[in-house]
Coordinates of all heavy atoms in Angstrom, one line a residue:
M1 N -27.5 -70.6 170.6 CA -27.0 -70.1 171.9 C -25.4 -70.3 171.9 O -25.0 -71.5 171.8 CB -27.7 -70.9 173.0 CG -27.0 -70.6 174.4 SD -27.8 -71.7 175.6 CE -28.2 -70.5 176.8
P2 N -24.6 -69.3 172.1 CA -23.2 -69.5 172.1 C -22.8 -70.4 173.2 O -23.3 -70.5 174.3 CB -22.7 -68.0 172.5 CG -23.8 -67.2 172.0 CD -25.1 -67.9 172.3
G3 N -21.7 -71.2 172.9 CA -21.2 -72.2 173.9 C -21.9 -73.5 173.9 O -21.5 -74.4 174.5
T4 N -23.0 -73.6 173.1 CA -23.7 -74.9 173.1 C -23.1 -75.8 172.0 O -22.8 -75.4 170.9 CB -25.2 -74.6 172.7 OG1 -25.8 -73.8 173.6 CG2 -26.0 -75.9 172.6
F5 N -22.8 -77.0 172.4 CA -22.2 -78.0 171.5 C -23.3 -78.8 170.9 O -24.2 -79.2 171.5 CB -21.2 -78.9 172.3 CG -19.9 -78.2 172.6 CD1 -19.8 -77.4 173.8 CD2 -18.8 -78.4 171.8 CE1 -18.6 -76.8 174.1 CE2 -17.6 -77.8 172.1 CZ -17.5 -77.0 173.3
V6 N -23.1 -79.0 169.5 CA -24.0 -79.8 168.8 C -23.2 -80.9 168.0 O -22.0 -80.7 167.8 CB -24.8 -79.0 167.7 CG1 -25.7 -78.0 168.5 CG2 -23.9 -78.2 166.8
R7 N -23.9 -82.0 167.8 CA -23.2 -83.1 167.1 C -23.0 -82.7 165.7 O -23.9 -82.3 164.9 CB -24.1 -84.4 167.1 CG -23.4 -85.6 166.6 CD -24.3 -86.8 166.6 NE -23.5 -88.0 166.3 CZ -23.3 -88.4 165.0 NH1 -23.7 -87.7 164.0 NH2 -22.6 -89.5 164.8
A8 N -21.7 -82.8 165.3 CA -21.3 -82.5 163.9 C -21.2 -83.8 163.1 O -21.6 -83.8 161.9 CB -19.9 -81.8 163.9
C9 N -20.7 -84.9 163.7 CA -20.6 -86.2 163.0 C -20.1 -87.2 164.0 O -19.8 -86.9 165.1 CB -19.6 -86.0 161.8 SG -17.9 -85.6 162.3
G10 N -19.9 -88.4 163.5 CA -19.3 -89.5 164.3 C -17.8 -89.5 164.1 O -17.3 -89.3 163.0
L11 N -17.1 -89.8 165.2 CA -15.7 -89.9 165.2 C -15.3 -91.0 164.1 O -14.3 -90.8 163.4 CB -15.1 -90.2 166.6 CG -13.6 -90.2 166.8 CD1 -13.1 -88.8 166.4 CD2 -13.3 -90.5 168.2
S12 N -16.1 -92.0 164.1 CA -15.8 -93.1 163.2 C -16.0 -92.7 161.7 O -15.6 -93.5 160.8 CB -16.7 -94.3 163.5 OG -18.1 -94.0 163.4
E13 N -16.7 -91.6 161.5 CA -16.9 -91.1 160.1 C -15.6 -90.4 159.6 O -15.6 -90.1 158.4 CB -18.1 -90.2 160.0 CG -19.4 -90.8 160.4 CD -20.5 -89.8 160.4 OE1 -20.6 -89.0 159.5 OE2 -21.2 -89.8 161.4
L14 N -14.7 -90.0 160.5 CA -13.6 -89.2 160.1 C -12.4 -90.1 159.7 O -12.1 -91.1 160.3 CB -13.1 -88.3 161.2 CG -14.2 -87.3 161.7 CD1 -13.6 -86.5 162.8 CD2 -14.5 -86.3 160.5
E15 N -11.7 -89.7 158.6 CA -10.5 -90.3 158.2 C -9.3 -89.3 158.4 O -9.5 -88.1 158.2 CB -10.5 -90.7 156.7 CG -11.6 -91.7 156.3 CD -11.6 -92.0 154.9 OE1 -10.5 -92.0 154.2 OE2 -12.7 -92.3 154.3
E16 N -8.2 -89.9 158.8 CA -7.0 -89.0 159.1 C -6.7 -88.1 157.9 O -6.6 -88.6 156.8 CB -5.8 -89.9 159.4 CG -4.6 -89.2 159.8 CD -4.6 -88.6 161.2 OE1 -5.4 -89.0 162.0 OE2 -3.7 -87.9 161.5
N17 N -6.6 -86.8 158.2 CA -6.2 -85.8 157.2 C -7.2 -85.7 156.0 O -6.8 -85.2 154.9 CB -4.8 -86.1 156.6 CG -3.7 -86.0 157.7 OD1 -3.8 -85.2 158.6 ND2 -2.7 -86.8 157.6
T18 N -8.4 -86.1 156.2 CA -9.4 -85.9 155.2 C -10.6 -85.1 155.8 O -11.3 -85.5 156.6 CB -10.0 -87.3 154.8 OG1 -8.9 -88.1 154.3 CG2 -11.0 -87.1 153.7
P19 N -10.7 -83.8 155.3 CA -11.8 -83.0 155.9 C -13.2 -83.5 155.6 O -13.4 -84.1 154.5 CB -11.5 -81.7 155.1 CG -10.2 -81.7 154.5 CD -9.9 -83.2 154.3
K20 N -14.1 -83.3 156.5 CA -15.5 -83.7 156.3 C -16.3 -82.4 156.5 O -16.3 -81.7 157.5 CB -15.9 -84.7 157.4 CG -17.4 -85.1 157.2 CD -17.7 -86.2 158.2 CE -19.2 -86.7 158.0 NZ -19.5 -87.2 156.7
R21 N -17.1 -82.1 155.5 CA -17.9 -80.9 155.5 C -19.2 -81.2 156.1 O -19.9 -82.2 155.8 CB -18.1 -80.3 154.1 CG -18.9 -79.0 154.1 CD -19.1 -78.6 152.6 NE -19.4 -77.1 152.5 CZ -20.7 -76.7 152.7 NH1 -21.7 -77.5 153.0 NH2 -20.9 -75.4 152.6
V22 N -19.6 -80.4 157.1 CA -20.9 -80.5 157.7 C -21.5 -79.1 157.8 O -20.8 -78.1 157.6 CB -20.8 -81.1 159.2 CG1 -20.3 -82.5 159.1 CG2 -20.0 -80.2 160.1
E23 N -22.8 -79.0 158.0 CA -23.5 -77.7 158.2 C -24.1 -77.7 159.5 O -24.9 -78.6 159.8 CB -24.5 -77.5 157.1 CG -24.8 -76.0 156.9 CD -25.3 -75.6 155.5 OE1 -24.5 -75.9 154.5 OE2 -26.4 -75.1 155.5
L24 N -23.8 -76.7 160.3 CA -24.4 -76.6 161.7 C -25.1 -75.3 161.8 O -24.5 -74.2 161.6 CB -23.2 -76.6 162.7 CG -22.4 -77.9 162.7 CD1 -21.2 -77.8 163.7 CD2 -23.2 -79.1 163.0
D25 N -26.4 -75.3 162.0 CA -27.2 -74.1 162.0 C -26.9 -73.1 160.9 O -26.8 -71.9 161.0 CB -27.0 -73.4 163.4 CG -27.5 -74.2 164.6 OD1 -28.4 -74.9 164.4 OD2 -26.9 -74.0 165.6
G26 N -26.8 -73.7 159.7 CA -26.6 -72.9 158.5 C -25.1 -72.5 158.3 O -24.8 -71.8 157.3
T27 N -24.2 -72.9 159.1 CA -22.8 -72.5 159.0 C -22.0 -73.7 158.5 O -22.0 -74.8 159.1 CB -22.2 -72.1 160.4 OG1 -23.0 -71.0 160.9 CG2 -20.8 -71.7 160.3
P28 N -21.3 -73.5 157.3 CA -20.5 -74.6 156.8 C -19.2 -74.8 157.7 O -18.5 -73.8 157.9 CB -20.2 -74.2 155.4 CG -20.3 -72.7 155.4 CD -21.3 -72.3 156.5
V29 N -19.0 -76.0 158.1 CA -17.8 -76.3 159.0 C -17.1 -77.5 158.4 O -17.7 -78.4 157.9 CB -18.3 -76.6 160.4 CG1 -17.2 -77.0 161.3 CG2 -19.1 -75.4 161.0
S30 N -15.8 -77.4 158.4 CA -14.9 -78.5 158.0 C -14.4 -79.2 159.3 O -13.7 -78.5 160.1 CB -13.8 -78.0 157.1 OG -13.0 -79.1 156.7
V31 N -14.7 -80.4 159.5 CA -14.2 -81.2 160.7 C -13.0 -82.0 160.2 O -13.1 -82.8 159.2 CB -15.3 -82.1 161.3 CG1 -14.8 -82.8 162.5 CG2 -16.5 -81.2 161.6
V32 N -11.9 -81.9 160.9 CA -10.7 -82.6 160.4 C -10.0 -83.3 161.6 O -9.8 -82.8 162.7 CB -9.6 -81.6 159.9 CG1 -8.4 -82.3 159.4 CG2 -10.2 -80.8 158.8
M33 N -9.7 -84.6 161.4 CA -8.9 -85.4 162.3 C -7.4 -85.5 161.8 O -7.2 -85.9 160.7 CB -9.4 -86.8 162.5 CG -8.7 -87.6 163.5 SD -9.4 -89.2 163.9 CE -9.6 -89.9 162.3
T34 N -6.5 -84.9 162.6 CA -5.1 -85.0 162.2 C -4.2 -84.9 163.4 O -4.6 -84.3 164.4 CB -4.8 -83.8 161.2 OG1 -3.4 -83.9 160.7 CG2 -4.9 -82.4 161.9
E35 N -3.1 -85.6 163.3 CA -2.1 -85.6 164.4 C -2.8 -86.0 165.8 O -2.4 -85.5 166.8 CB -1.4 -84.3 164.5 CG -0.7 -84.0 163.2 CD 0.1 -82.6 163.2 OE1 0.1 -82.0 164.3 OE2 0.6 -82.2 162.2
G36 N -3.8 -86.9 165.7 CA -4.4 -87.4 167.0 C -5.4 -86.4 167.6 O -5.9 -86.7 168.7
E37 N -5.8 -85.4 166.9 CA -6.7 -84.4 167.4 C -7.8 -84.2 166.3 O -7.6 -84.4 165.2 CB -6.1 -83.1 167.7 CG -5.1 -83.1 168.9 CD -4.7 -81.7 169.3 OE1 -5.5 -80.9 169.7 OE2 -3.5 -81.5 169.1
V38 N -9.0 -83.6 166.8 CA -10.1 -83.3 165.9 C -10.2 -81.8 166.0 O -10.3 -81.2 167.1 CB -11.4 -84.0 166.3 CG1 -12.5 -83.6 165.4 CG2 -11.2 -85.5 166.2
F39 N -10.3 -81.1 164.8 CA -10.5 -79.7 164.7 C -11.7 -79.4 163.9 O -12.2 -80.1 163.1 CB -9.3 -79.1 164.0 CG -8.0 -79.3 164.7 CD1 -7.2 -80.4 164.4 CD2 -7.5 -78.5 165.7 CE1 -6.0 -80.7 165.0 CE2 -6.3 -78.7 166.4 CZ -5.6 -79.8 166.0
A40 N -12.3 -78.2 164.2 CA -13.4 -77.7 163.4 C -13.1 -76.2 163.0 O -12.7 -75.4 163.8 CB -14.7 -77.7 164.2
I41 N -13.2 -76.0 161.7 CA -12.8 -74.7 161.1 C -13.9 -74.3 160.1 O -14.5 -75.2 159.5 CB -11.4 -74.8 160.5 CG1 -10.9 -73.4 160.0 CG2 -11.4 -75.7 159.3 CD1 -9.4 -73.4 159.7
N42 N -14.2 -73.0 160.0 CA -15.2 -72.6 159.1 C -14.8 -73.1 157.7 O -13.6 -73.0 157.3 CB -15.3 -71.1 159.1 CG -16.5 -70.6 158.3 OD1 -16.5 -70.6 157.1 ND2 -17.6 -70.2 159.0
D43 N -15.7 -73.6 156.9 CA -15.4 -74.2 155.7 C -15.2 -73.3 154.5 O -14.9 -73.7 153.4 CB -16.5 -75.3 155.3 CG -16.1 -76.2 154.2 OD1 -14.9 -76.7 154.2 OD2 -16.9 -76.4 153.3
I44 N -15.3 -72.0 154.7 CA -15.2 -71.1 153.6 C -13.9 -70.3 153.7 O -13.6 -69.6 154.6 CB -16.4 -70.1 153.6 CG1 -17.7 -70.8 153.5 CG2 -16.3 -69.1 152.4 CD1 -17.9 -71.8 152.3
C45 N -13.1 -70.4 152.6 CA -11.8 -69.6 152.5 C -12.1 -68.1 152.6 O -13.0 -67.6 151.9 CB -11.1 -70.0 151.2 SG -9.6 -69.1 150.9
S46 N -11.3 -67.4 153.4 CA -11.4 -66.0 153.5 C -11.0 -65.2 152.3 O -11.3 -64.0 152.2 CB -10.7 -65.5 154.8 OG -9.3 -65.7 154.6
H47 N -10.3 -65.9 151.4 CA -9.8 -65.2 150.2 C -10.7 -65.4 149.0 O -11.0 -64.4 148.3 CB -8.4 -65.7 149.9 CG -7.9 -65.3 148.5 ND1 -7.9 -66.1 147.4 CD2 -7.5 -64.1 148.0 CE1 -7.5 -65.5 146.4 NE2 -7.2 -64.2 146.7
A48 N -11.2 -66.6 148.8 CA -11.8 -66.8 147.5 C -13.3 -67.4 147.7 O -13.9 -67.7 146.7 CB -11.0 -67.8 146.7
N49 N -13.8 -67.5 148.9 CA -15.1 -67.9 149.1 C -15.4 -69.3 148.5 O -16.4 -69.5 147.9 CB -16.1 -66.9 148.6 CG -17.5 -67.1 149.2 OD1 -17.7 -67.5 150.3 ND2 -18.5 -66.8 148.4
V50 N -14.5 -70.3 148.7 CA -14.7 -71.6 148.2 C -14.5 -72.6 149.4 O -14.0 -72.2 150.5 CB -13.7 -72.0 147.1 CG1 -13.9 -71.2 145.9 CG2 -12.3 -71.9 147.6
S51 N -15.0 -73.8 149.3 CA -15.0 -74.8 150.4 C -13.6 -75.3 150.7 O -12.9 -75.9 149.8 CB -15.9 -76.0 150.0 OG -15.8 -77.0 150.9
L52 N -13.1 -75.1 151.9 CA -11.8 -75.6 152.4 C -11.8 -77.1 152.5 O -10.8 -77.7 152.4 CB -11.5 -75.0 153.7 CG -11.1 -73.5 153.7 CD1 -10.9 -73.0 155.1 CD2 -9.9 -73.2 152.8
S53 N -13.0 -77.7 152.7 CA -13.0 -79.2 152.9 C -12.6 -79.9 151.6 O -12.4 -81.1 151.7 CB -14.4 -79.6 153.4 OG -15.4 -79.3 152.5
E54 N -12.5 -79.2 150.5 CA -12.1 -79.9 149.3 C -10.6 -79.8 149.1 O -10.1 -80.4 148.2 CB -12.8 -79.2 148.1 CG -14.3 -79.4 148.1 CD -15.0 -78.6 146.9 OE1 -14.3 -78.5 145.9 OE2 -16.1 -78.2 147.1
G55 N -9.9 -79.2 150.1 CA -8.5 -79.1 150.0 C -7.8 -80.2 150.8 O -8.4 -81.1 151.3
E56 N -6.5 -80.1 150.9 CA -5.7 -81.1 151.5 C -5.2 -80.6 152.9 O -5.1 -79.5 153.2 CB -4.4 -81.4 150.7 CG -4.8 -82.0 149.4 CD -3.5 -82.4 148.5 OE1 -2.4 -82.5 149.1 OE2 -3.7 -82.7 147.4
V57 N -5.0 -81.6 153.8 CA -4.5 -81.3 155.2 C -3.1 -81.9 155.3 O -2.8 -83.0 155.0 CB -5.5 -82.0 156.2 CG1 -4.9 -81.9 157.6 CG2 -6.9 -81.4 156.1
E58 N -2.2 -81.0 155.9 CA -0.9 -81.4 156.1 C -0.3 -80.5 157.2 O -0.6 -79.3 157.2 CB 0.0 -81.4 154.9 CG 1.3 -81.9 155.0 CD 2.1 -81.9 153.7 OE1 1.5 -81.9 152.6 OE2 3.4 -82.0 153.8
D59 N 0.5 -81.0 158.1 CA 1.1 -80.3 159.2 C 0.1 -79.4 159.9 O 0.4 -78.2 160.2 CB 2.2 -79.4 158.6 CG 3.4 -80.2 158.0 OD1 3.6 -81.3 158.5 OD2 4.0 -79.8 157.0
C60 N -1.0 -79.9 160.3 CA -2.1 -79.2 161.0 C -2.6 -78.0 160.3 O -3.0 -77.0 160.9 CB -1.6 -78.9 162.5 SG -3.0 -78.9 163.6
Q61 N -2.6 -78.0 159.0 CA -3.1 -76.9 158.2 C -4.0 -77.5 157.1 O -3.8 -78.6 156.6 CB -2.0 -76.2 157.5 CG -1.0 -75.4 158.4 CD -0.1 -74.6 157.7 OE1 -0.5 -73.6 157.0 NE2 1.2 -74.9 157.8
I62 N -5.0 -76.7 156.7 CA -5.9 -77.1 155.6 C -5.6 -76.1 154.5 O -5.6 -74.9 154.7 CB -7.4 -77.1 156.0 CG1 -8.2 -77.7 155.0 CG2 -7.9 -75.7 156.5 CD1 -9.6 -78.1 155.4
E63 N -5.4 -76.6 153.3 CA -5.1 -75.8 152.2 C -6.3 -75.6 151.2 O -7.0 -76.5 150.9 CB -3.9 -76.5 151.4 CG -3.5 -75.6 150.2 CD -2.3 -76.3 149.4 OE1 -2.6 -77.3 148.7 OE2 -1.2 -75.8 149.6
C64 N -6.5 -74.4 150.8 CA -7.5 -74.1 149.9 C -7.1 -74.6 148.5 O -6.0 -74.3 148.0 CB -7.8 -72.5 149.8 SG -9.0 -72.1 148.6
W65 N -7.9 -75.4 147.9 CA -7.6 -76.0 146.6 C -7.5 -75.0 145.5 O -6.8 -75.3 144.5 CB -8.6 -77.1 146.3 CG -10.0 -76.5 146.1 CD1 -11.0 -76.4 147.1 CD2 -10.6 -76.0 144.9 NE1 -12.1 -75.9 146.6 CE2 -11.9 -75.6 145.3 CE3 -10.2 -75.9 143.6 CZ2 -12.8 -75.1 144.4 CZ3 -11.0 -75.3 142.7 CH2 -12.3 -74.9 143.1
L66 N -8.1 -73.8 145.6 CA -8.2 -72.9 144.5 C -6.9 -72.1 144.3 O -6.3 -72.1 143.2 CB -9.4 -72.0 144.6 CG -9.7 -71.1 143.4 CD1 -10.0 -71.9 142.2 CD2 -10.9 -70.2 143.7
H67 N -6.4 -71.5 145.4 CA -5.2 -70.6 145.2 C -4.1 -71.0 146.1 O -3.0 -70.4 146.2 CB -5.6 -69.2 145.5 CG -6.5 -68.6 144.4 ND1 -7.8 -68.2 144.8 CD2 -6.4 -68.4 143.1 CE1 -8.4 -67.7 143.7 NE2 -7.5 -67.9 142.6
G68 N -4.3 -72.1 146.9 CA -3.1 -72.6 147.7 C -2.9 -72.0 149.1 O -2.0 -72.3 149.8
S69 N -3.8 -71.0 149.5 CA -3.6 -70.5 150.9 C -3.9 -71.7 151.9 O -4.8 -72.4 151.7 CB -4.6 -69.4 151.1 OG -4.2 -68.2 150.4
A70 N -3.1 -71.7 152.9 CA -3.3 -72.7 154.0 C -3.6 -72.0 155.3 O -3.1 -70.9 155.6 CB -2.0 -73.6 154.1
F71 N -4.5 -72.7 156.0 CA -5.0 -72.1 157.3 C -4.7 -73.1 158.4 O -4.9 -74.3 158.3 CB -6.5 -71.8 157.2 CG -6.9 -70.9 156.2 CD1 -7.1 -71.3 154.9 CD2 -7.0 -69.5 156.5 CE1 -7.5 -70.4 153.9 CE2 -7.3 -68.6 155.5 CZ -7.6 -69.0 154.2
D72 N -4.1 -72.5 159.5 CA -3.8 -73.3 160.7 C -5.1 -73.8 161.3 O -6.0 -73.0 161.6 CB -3.0 -72.5 161.7 CG -2.5 -73.3 162.9 OD1 -3.3 -73.9 163.6 OD2 -1.3 -73.2 163.1
L73 N -5.2 -75.1 161.5 CA -6.5 -75.7 162.1 C -6.7 -75.3 163.5 O -7.8 -75.4 164.0 CB -6.4 -77.2 162.0 CG -6.5 -77.8 160.5 CD1 -6.2 -79.2 160.5 CD2 -7.9 -77.5 160.0
R74 N -5.6 -74.9 164.2 CA -5.7 -74.5 165.6 C -6.2 -73.0 165.8 O -6.9 -72.7 166.7 CB -4.4 -74.7 166.4 CG -3.9 -76.1 166.4 CD -2.5 -76.2 166.9 NE -1.6 -75.6 165.9 CZ -0.7 -76.2 165.2 NH1 -0.4 -77.5 165.5 NH2 0.0 -75.6 164.3
T75 N -5.7 -72.2 164.9 CA -6.0 -70.7 165.0 C -6.8 -70.1 163.9 O -7.3 -69.0 164.0 CB -4.6 -70.0 165.1 OG1 -4.0 -70.1 163.8 CG2 -3.8 -70.5 166.2
G76 N -6.9 -70.8 162.7 CA -7.5 -70.2 161.6 C -6.7 -69.2 160.8 O -7.2 -68.7 159.8
K77 N -5.5 -68.9 161.3 CA -4.7 -67.9 160.6 C -4.1 -68.5 159.3 O -3.6 -69.6 159.3 CB -3.6 -67.4 161.5 CG -4.1 -66.7 162.7 CD -3.0 -66.2 163.6 CE -3.7 -65.4 164.8 NZ -2.6 -65.1 165.8
P78 N -4.0 -67.7 158.3 CA -3.4 -68.1 157.0 C -1.9 -68.1 157.2 O -1.3 -67.3 157.9 CB -3.9 -67.1 156.0 CG -4.1 -65.8 156.8 CD -4.6 -66.3 158.1
S79 N -1.2 -69.1 156.5 CA 0.2 -69.1 156.6 C 0.9 -68.4 155.4 O 2.1 -68.3 155.4 CB 0.7 -70.6 156.6 OG 0.3 -71.3 155.4
G80 N 0.1 -67.9 154.5 CA 0.7 -67.2 153.3 C -0.3 -66.7 152.4 O -1.5 -67.0 152.5
L81 N 0.1 -65.9 151.4 CA -0.8 -65.3 150.5 C -1.4 -66.4 149.5 O -0.8 -67.5 149.4 CB 0.0 -64.3 149.7 CG 0.6 -63.1 150.5 CD1 1.5 -62.2 149.7 CD2 -0.6 -62.3 151.1
P82 N -2.5 -66.1 148.9 CA -3.1 -64.8 148.8 C -4.0 -64.5 150.0 O -4.4 -63.3 150.1 CB -3.9 -64.9 147.5 CG -4.2 -66.3 147.3 CD -3.1 -67.1 147.9
A83 N -4.4 -65.4 150.8 CA -5.3 -65.1 152.0 C -4.5 -64.3 153.0 O -3.4 -64.5 153.3 CB -5.8 -66.4 152.6
T84 N -5.2 -63.3 153.5 CA -4.6 -62.4 154.6 C -5.5 -62.4 155.8 O -5.0 -62.0 156.9 CB -4.5 -61.0 154.1 OG1 -5.7 -60.5 153.7 CG2 -3.5 -60.9 152.9
R85 N -6.7 -62.8 155.7 CA -7.6 -62.8 156.9 C -7.8 -64.3 157.4 O -7.9 -65.2 156.6 CB -9.0 -62.3 156.5 CG -8.9 -60.8 156.2 CD -10.3 -60.3 155.7 NE -10.6 -60.9 154.4 CZ -11.7 -61.4 154.1 NH1 -12.7 -61.4 155.0 NH2 -11.9 -62.0 152.9
P86 N -7.9 -64.5 158.7 CA -8.1 -65.8 159.3 C -9.6 -66.2 159.0 O -10.4 -65.4 158.7 CB -7.8 -65.6 160.8 CG -8.1 -64.2 161.0 CD -7.7 -63.5 159.8
V87 N -9.8 -67.5 159.2 CA -11.1 -68.1 159.2 C -11.5 -68.5 160.6 O -10.5 -68.9 161.3 CB -11.3 -69.2 158.2 CG1 -11.2 -68.7 156.7 CG2 -10.4 -70.3 158.4
P88 N -12.7 -68.5 161.0 CA -13.1 -68.9 162.4 C -12.8 -70.4 162.6 O -12.9 -71.2 161.8 CB -14.6 -68.7 162.5 CG -14.9 -67.7 161.4 CD -13.9 -68.0 160.3
V89 N -12.3 -70.7 163.9 CA -12.2 -72.1 164.3 C -13.1 -72.2 165.5 O -13.5 -71.2 166.2 CB -10.7 -72.4 164.7 CG1 -9.8 -72.4 163.5 CG2 -10.2 -71.5 165.8
Y90 N -13.6 -73.4 165.7 CA -14.6 -73.7 166.8 C -14.1 -74.7 167.8 O -13.4 -75.7 167.4 CB -15.9 -74.1 166.1 CG -16.3 -73.2 165.0 CD1 -16.2 -73.6 163.6 CD2 -16.9 -71.9 165.3 CE1 -16.6 -72.7 162.6 CE2 -17.3 -71.1 164.3 CZ -17.1 -71.5 162.9 OH -17.5 -70.6 162.0
P91 N -14.6 -74.6 169.0 CA -14.3 -75.6 170.0 C -14.9 -77.0 169.7 O -16.0 -77.0 169.1 CB -14.9 -75.1 171.3 CG -15.1 -73.6 171.0 CD -15.4 -73.5 169.6
V92 N -14.1 -78.0 170.0 CA -14.6 -79.4 169.7 C -14.5 -80.2 171.0 O -13.6 -80.1 171.8 CB -13.6 -80.1 168.7 CG1 -14.0 -81.5 168.5 CG2 -13.7 -79.3 167.3
Q93 N -15.5 -81.0 171.2 CA -15.5 -82.0 172.3 C -15.8 -83.4 171.7 O -16.6 -83.5 170.7 CB -16.6 -81.7 173.3 CG -16.4 -80.5 174.1 CD -17.5 -80.2 175.2 OE1 -18.5 -80.9 175.2 NE2 -17.3 -79.2 176.0
I94 N -15.3 -84.4 172.3 CA -15.6 -85.8 171.8 C -16.3 -86.5 173.0 O -15.8 -86.5 174.1 CB -14.3 -86.6 171.5 CG1 -13.4 -85.8 170.5 CG2 -14.6 -88.0 171.0 CD1 -14.0 -85.6 169.1
E95 N -17.4 -87.0 172.7 CA -18.2 -87.8 173.7 C -18.5 -89.1 173.0 O -19.4 -89.2 172.1 CB -19.5 -87.1 174.1 CG -19.2 -85.8 174.9 CD -20.4 -85.2 175.4 OE1 -21.6 -85.7 175.2 OE2 -20.3 -84.1 176.0
G96 N -17.8 -90.2 173.4 CA -18.0 -91.5 172.8 C -17.6 -91.4 171.4 O -16.5 -91.0 171.0
D97 N -18.5 -91.7 170.4 CA -18.3 -91.6 169.0 C -18.7 -90.3 168.4 O -18.6 -90.0 167.2 CB -18.9 -92.8 168.2 CG -18.6 -92.8 166.8 OD1 -17.3 -92.8 166.5 OD2 -19.5 -92.7 165.9
D98 N -19.3 -89.4 169.3 CA -19.8 -88.2 168.8 C -18.8 -87.0 168.8 O -18.1 -86.8 169.8 CB -21.0 -87.7 169.6 CG -22.2 -88.6 169.5 OD1 -22.4 -89.2 168.4 OD2 -23.0 -88.7 170.4
V99 N -18.7 -86.3 167.7 CA -17.9 -85.1 167.6 C -18.8 -84.0 167.7 O -19.7 -83.8 166.9 CB -17.1 -85.0 166.2 CG1 -16.3 -83.7 166.1 CG2 -16.2 -86.2 166.0
L100 N -18.6 -83.2 168.8 CA -19.5 -82.1 169.1 C -18.7 -80.8 168.9 O -17.5 -80.7 169.2 CB -19.9 -82.1 170.6 CG -20.6 -83.5 171.1 CD1 -20.8 -83.4 172.5 CD2 -21.8 -83.7 170.3
V101 N -19.4 -79.8 168.2 CA -18.8 -78.6 167.9 C -19.7 -77.4 168.4 O -20.9 -77.5 168.4 CB -18.7 -78.4 166.3 CG1 -18.1 -77.0 166.0 CG2 -17.7 -79.5 165.8
S102 N -19.0 -76.4 168.9 CA -19.7 -75.2 169.4 C -19.4 -74.1 168.4 O -18.2 -73.8 168.0 CB -19.3 -74.8 170.8 OG -19.8 -73.5 171.1
L103 N -20.4 -73.5 167.9 CA -20.2 -72.4 166.9 C -19.7 -71.1 167.6 O -19.5 -70.1 167.0 CB -21.5 -72.1 166.1 CG -21.8 -73.2 165.1 CD1 -23.0 -72.8 164.3 CD2 -20.7 -73.6 164.2
N104 N -19.6 -71.2 168.9 CA -19.0 -70.1 169.7 C -17.5 -70.0 169.2 O -16.7 -70.9 169.6 CB -19.1 -70.3 171.2 CG -18.5 -69.2 172.0 OD1 -18.5 -68.0 171.6 ND2 -18.0 -69.5 173.2
Q105 N -17.1 -69.0 168.5 CA -15.8 -68.9 167.9 C -14.7 -68.8 168.9 O -14.8 -68.0 169.8 CB -15.8 -67.7 166.9 CG -14.6 -67.6 166.1 CD -14.7 -66.4 165.2 OE1 -15.8 -66.0 164.7 NE2 -13.6 -65.8 164.9
E106 N -13.6 -69.7 168.7 CA -12.5 -69.6 169.5 C -11.5 -68.5 169.1 O -11.0 -67.8 169.9 CB -11.7 -70.9 169.5 CG -12.3 -72.0 170.4 CD -11.4 -73.2 170.5 OE1 -10.4 -73.3 169.8 OE2 -11.7 -74.0 171.4
S107 N -11.4 -68.3 167.8 CA -10.5 -67.3 167.3 C -10.9 -66.8 165.9 O -11.8 -67.3 165.3 CB -9.0 -67.8 167.2 OG -8.9 -68.8 166.2

């Protein structure tokens, strides 16, 4: 159901700038804590169909390890080639130690 938040992981399981891959209702999601915020972005690169959670996080972007495209964690938009299409980002709520994600796409 769109807009429904489900538990993705515990806040205590996240390390700063280290993506955590989770699967929510069959959808691969990368959960990232950076710059004091928690973000959820689809874990599949729009260019090469590989896991973004294996890449690095810097300046609120996650970089695809294969070809170097970086995606804004707030918008999902790529910052440069070879990727030209954004990846979905998802709303996040924090309740206690629970990181909750809604697969209702923000952008």
Side-chain angles (χ1 to χ4, degrees):
M1 170 187 233
T4 302
F5 284 84
V6 296
R7 186 181 189 278
C9 63
L11 191 59
S12 59
E13 297 173 49
L14 298 176
E15 294 179 36
E16 183 78 12
N17 295 326
T18 303
K20 179 175 182 63
R21 186 181 197 277
V22 298
E23 201 155 303
L24 304 175
D25 295 328
T27 301
V29 176
S30 184
V31 180
V32 181
M33 180 173 57
T34 187
E35 300 179 8
E37 292 186 66
V38 177
F39 300 93
I41 188 168
N42 191 284
D43 192 45
I44 304 300
C45 177
S46 64
H47 167 256
N49 199 33
V50 297
S51 176
L52 290 175
S53 63
E54 295 178 30
E56 296 184 13
V57 174
E58 187 175 341
D59 296 328
C60 212
Q61 295 187 65
I62 189 166
E63 183 179 73
C64 178
W65 61 270
L66 189 59
H67 294 116
S69 287
F71 298 88
D72 189 303
L73 291 168
R74 297 168 294 241
T75 66
K77 293 180 181 173
S79 61
L81 298 173
T84 57
R85 292 176 294 132
V87 294
V89 295
Y90 307 108
V92 174
Q93 291 181 353
I94 307 296
E95 290 184 6
D97 185 56
D98 293 332
V99 177
L100 307 175
V101 174
S102 172
L103 291 182
N104 182 31
Q105 186 178 327
E106 279 189 352
S107 65

